[in-house]
């Protein structure tokens, strides 16, 4: 039972990481075209979330 919960948790984490990668790529492209401080802040937040998520998934 614990093994199935662990697999579900890891699958969810991987899905979240992938979605953050796509969001990061979209924000990078958008900020290259028309950078604003708001978009730069969103980009920094996504990078921070992605880094934290990847750190805890690797543990």
């Amino acid at each position: 039972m614990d093994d199935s919960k662990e697999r579900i948790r890891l699958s969810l984490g991987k899905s979240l990481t992938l979605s953050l990668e796509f969001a990061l790529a979209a924000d990078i492209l958008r900020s290259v075209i028309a950078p604003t401080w708001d978009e730069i802040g969103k980009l920094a937040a996504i990078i921070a979330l992605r880094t934290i998520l990847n750190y805890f998934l690797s543990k």
Side-chain angles (χ1 to χ4, degrees):
M1 181 146 173
D2 290 331
D3 189 43
S4 63
K5 286 182 183 179
E6 184 72 18
R7 279 187 281 135
I8 291 170
R9 187 181 65 82
L10 288 175
S11 177
L12 177 63
K14 289 176 184 178
S15 298
L16 287 172
T17 301
L18 181 63
S19 65
L20 286 174
E21 292 287 339
F22 281 116
L24 178 61
D27 282 343
I28 288 172
L29 290 175
R30 194 175 341 173
S31 66
V32 167
I33 295 170
T36 64
W37 285 110
D38 185 49
E39 290 181 6
I40 292 171
K42 288 179 186 177
L43 182 61
I46 291 171
I47 290 171
L49 285 172
R50 188 184 130 251
T51 303
I52 292 168
L53 184 61
N54 283 336
Y55 173 76
F56 284 113
L57 283 175
S58 69
K59 287 275 178 179

